[in-house]
Amino acid sequence: MTEGSKSGIIATRLRNYFLTGLIICAPVAITVWLVRSFIEWADSWVKPYLPNFYNPDTYSPVAIPGFGLLVAVIVITLVGFMTANLVGRSIVSFGESLLNRTPLVRTIYKSLKQIFQTVLQEQSSSFKRAGLIEYPSPGLWSLVFIATDVKGEIAAKFDERGMDMVTVFLPPTPIPTAGFLLFVPRDKIIPLQMSAEDAAKLLISGGLVAPDYKPLANAPPRSIPHQKTA
């Protein structure tokens, strides 16, 4: 074996070792960075409003990370507990009535409340399913997140034309937080067995990370069920 071939083998091994280490270390480092950034963001919002007596940073030479996030979680939980009884509901209703009388603020508040109620409802299936639609042209398919049945005035306009439509969200790659809101006929959507999390991984990786697929035995073709109205 010549010196050149030995050097090539060593270089290949070193490259493989580096890539293996990168695959292991990079996700860990990015996860730690994201968690740390979120904790620091929560602390920056909560700690300035804490009295010095209750702020541990007052007595510690170094900042204690996560205390602001802990306080926020406790306060949110207490608000939810208070809202579950009559007195708490009365206070919340009074606060909402004040917001609803304030121009501009009431529009923002109502929109945000409706979004959170829709997304966080325990029985809601919004954005928990993924599917395929033929977009942007025939023969080309795009991955979408299935939101909900079309509602309100838009649903009425479609019903007048006998069209059964579903609201879907079409995210771009590799940043799925932005995208397009589309109204698609129910029978034009191909539901996927993969979870929304796996679909997000597929999008972020540009198609490189595909989830494992185990076909269900004797499973009939899936369709998008109609959502029950309250």
Side-chain angles (χ1 to χ4, degrees):
M1 183 177 295
T2 62
E3 291 295 331
S5 60
K6 288 182 179 179
S7 299
I9 293 175
I10 293 174
T12 301
R13 287 182 178 179
L14 289 175
R15 183 192 64 184
N16 292 339
Y17 294 155
F18 173 79
L19 294 176
T20 301
L22 183 64
I23 292 173
I24 295 174
C25 295
V28 174
I30 294 174
T31 301
V32 171
W33 177 76
L34 289 174
V35 172
R36 179 180 176 182
S37 299
F38 177 76
I39 292 176
E40 291 177 348
W41 173 79
D43 288 347
S44 67
W45 273 89
V46 177
K47 283 186 176 181
Y49 299 98
L50 294 177
N52 291 333
F53 181 78
Y54 297 104
N55 193 341
D57 293 350
T58 306
Y59 313 101
S60 176
V62 295
I64 299 178
F67 185 77
L69 178 61
L70 177 62
V71 172
V73 171
I74 293 175
V75 170
I76 292 172
T77 304
L78 288 176
V79 171
F81 172 76
M82 292 176 56
T83 309
N85 58 63
L86 180 61
V87 176
R89 284 197 297 269
S90 301
I91 296 174
V92 172
S93 298
F94 175 73
E96 287 186 338
S97 65
L98 294 179
L99 291 174
N100 290 331
R101 295 190 188 126
T102 307
L104 183 61
V105 174
R106 63 188 177 192
T107 303
I108 299 174
Y109 173 73
K110 287 182 178 179
S111 300
L112 290 175
K113 183 178 179 181
Q114 188 174 9
I115 291 173
F116 275 91
Q117 284 179 335
T118 302
V119 174
L120 297 181
Q121 272 183 339
E122 293 183 1
Q123 297 180 350
S124 174
S125 59
S126 299
F127 300 106
K128 294 182 180 179
R129 296 169 296 167
L132 294 173
I133 64 171
E134 201 168 14
Y135 181 90
S137 61
L140 300 179
W141 293 83
S142 296
L143 183 64
V144 297
F145 294 103
I146 301 168
T148 182
D149 291 350
V150 177
K151 300 177 180 179
E153 180 184 357
I154 297 177
K157 296 299 182 182
F158 283 132
D159 289 341
E160 292 174 0
R161 293 162 174 78
M163 302 170 66
D164 185 15
M165 308 295 284
V166 177
T167 306
V168 301
F169 176 69
L170 174 65
T173 299
I175 305 176
T177 54
F180 301 95
L181 179 67
L182 303 175
F183 304 110
V184 185
R186 191 180 304 273
D187 58 357
K188 298 296 183 182
I189 303 175
I190 301 179
L192 296 176
Q193 181 178 314
M194 70 174 67
S195 65
E197 291 79 8
D198 288 336
K201 293 176 186 177
L202 185 64
L203 284 166
I204 294 172
S205 67
L208 297 177
V209 180
D212 295 332
Y213 173 62
K214 296 180 180 179
L216 301 176
N218 300 324
R222 300 183 65 191
S223 60
I224 306 298
H226 290 269
Q227 292 190 356
K228 295 181 180 180
T229 57

